Amino acid sequence: MTKTQAGYAAGDTTSTPLRVSIQGYAGAFHEVAARHCFQNQPLEIVPAHTFEDLVGMVEAQEEADIGLMAIENTLAGSIMRNYTLLQQSGLHITGEVFLRIKQNLMVLPGVQIESLREVHSHPMAISQCREFFAQYPNIRLVETADTALSAREISENGWSHIGAIASTLAAEMYGLEIIAPGIETNKKNHTRFLVLEKGTPKLDATLEKVSISFATDHEVGSLYKALAVMAAYNVNLTKIQSAPIIGHPWEYQFYVDFVVQGKVGHEQALDAIRPLTRNLQVHGVYACGEHYEY
């Protein structure tokens, strides 16, 4: 839990539940991450079908107080659409959490893998498990909107010929049996999630991680100059991502995460690079997130 998140009635089971909007349905990996991120406090998980819906819910503040949104995966890379959503929204980052993604094959109790004709899941989950299913050519892999939704549909419809790839939490919630745990090909499969809130970012000097975006002049060495100044201020870049600026061919917006090290604060570092950049925007100042296995 980050320092900012700790303000949400941590450990107070009598308080009003924190409404957390996630992409996906009950039992999705987003919910697993939310439970780790906001430990020891009552939560109400608010499902959103898309990331756009997630952001809209948090902006409206009618159904959700806060959002948890995946931003990158160690296998698939950055989720570029979510960078754009963050840029265009009125939300800011107040925390992060890292989750090891473990994919499981689940079925109705008593069903054997030899009886399966199909396995349903999100395209990302399927792509991470194709090597496992190569030994079962009779099973057709079917892409769906969500891992947990696939598990729920098996339970609700009593499909004995269909399995799902989803989290352990989904199996528990929908009464399914895991017949093959950890079927992902690469075991170093981690996703980073951002905690999103509405309002203006608070430049708290006690928090060490900063997420910003900016553009630079279309000139030789312009990006290097900005990064060189950041290095001089002893900040450690943990992420840099470029995205095209629509309407400006071959010009790019840069999304940068960095951790402040040493005695110089992030405000001094930001003031130093401001003259070297255009449209500098601070998306959040927060504590470095914890890593969880599940």
Side-chain angles (χ1 to χ4, degrees):
M1 182 182 300
T2 71
K3 296 174 184 176
T4 300
Q5 294 156 27
Y8 282 94
D12 182 3
T13 58
T14 65
S15 65
T16 301
L18 176 65
R19 301 175 301 172
V20 183
S21 180
I22 64 167
Q23 189 277 320
Y25 295 82
F29 287 105
H30 271 76
E31 178 172 354
V32 177
R35 290 188 177 197
H36 281 302
C37 194
F38 302 102
Q39 297 179 33
N40 303 318
Q41 65 185 89
L43 296 181
E44 178 186 341
I45 300 298
V46 183
H49 189 67
T50 66
F51 287 114
E52 286 83 357
D53 292 340
L54 184 161
V55 169
M57 286 180 179
V58 181
E59 286 183 317
Q61 291 288 289
E62 294 177 357
E63 300 176 70
D65 305 307
I66 201 167
L68 192 77
M69 182 175 75
I71 195 67
E72 60 179 317
N73 176 267
T74 52
L75 304 184
S78 298
I79 305 176
M80 294 308 301
R81 175 58 183 156
N82 289 357
Y83 278 101
T84 303
L85 286 173
L86 179 61
Q87 179 80 25
Q88 296 175 347
S89 75
L91 307 182
H92 64 281
I93 305 167
T94 59
E96 64 178 358
V97 61
F98 298 85
L99 182 68
R100 152 88 150 89
I101 305 298
K102 182 180 178 182
Q103 305 288 7
N104 307 287
L105 176 60
M106 56 195 66
V107 296
L108 290 174
V111 172
Q112 303 298 313
I113 194 169
E114 290 77 16
S115 302
L116 296 180
R117 298 201 299 271
E118 295 179 358
V119 167
H120 295 188
S121 197
H122 188 276
M124 182 76 71
I126 289 175
S127 68
Q128 295 169 359
C129 303
R130 288 193 181 278
E131 186 173 305
F132 173 83
F133 287 103
Q135 59 189 313
Y136 300 100
N138 59 306
I139 296 178
R140 187 166 72 98
L141 301 176
V142 179
E143 296 182 354
T144 61
D146 184 60
T147 56
L149 179 61
S150 299
R152 190 181 80 182
E153 289 179 337
I154 290 173
S155 178
E156 291 178 345
N157 294 296
W159 289 334
S160 59
H161 65 291
I162 298 176
I165 304 170
S167 70
T168 304
L169 177 61
E172 295 170 353
M173 294 182 72
Y174 301 117
L176 300 182
E177 179 182 348
I178 295 176
I179 57 173
I183 62 174
E184 68 280 0
T185 301
N186 192 313
K187 305 305 178 184
K188 294 183 178 181
N189 181 16
H190 299 261
T191 296
R192 177 184 175 219
F193 299 83
L194 300 179
V195 179
L196 302 179
E197 294 184 42
K198 188 175 182 179
T200 303
K202 297 178 176 61
L203 301 183
D204 188 338
T206 67
L207 303 176
E208 68 273 19
K209 193 161 188 179
V210 184
S211 292
I212 62 174
S213 64
F214 59 83
T216 60
D217 292 332
H218 199 37
E219 298 175 354
V220 174
S222 57
L223 177 60
Y224 166 78
K225 292 176 183 177
L227 297 181
V229 168
M230 295 178 74
Y233 276 77
N234 200 31
V235 300
N236 178 29
L237 264 65
T238 59
K239 171 82 174 184
I240 181 167
Q241 178 72 55
S242 64
I245 300 175
I246 305 302
H248 297 268
W250 316 122
E251 294 187 30
Y252 297 88
Q253 188 86 1
F254 298 98
Y255 295 89
V256 173
D257 297 332
F258 66 85
V259 176
V260 177
Q261 298 178 338
K263 297 181 180 180
V264 177
H266 52 74
E267 291 188 75
Q268 292 95 322
L270 293 174
D271 288 342
I273 67 168
R274 203 176 300 275
L276 304 173
T277 62
R278 292 185 285 109
N279 302 322
L280 176 64
Q281 185 174 349
V282 179
H283 295 290
V285 180
Y286 48 101
C288 292
E290 299 289 339
H291 290 70
Y292 294 96
E293 297 280 331
Y294 183 79

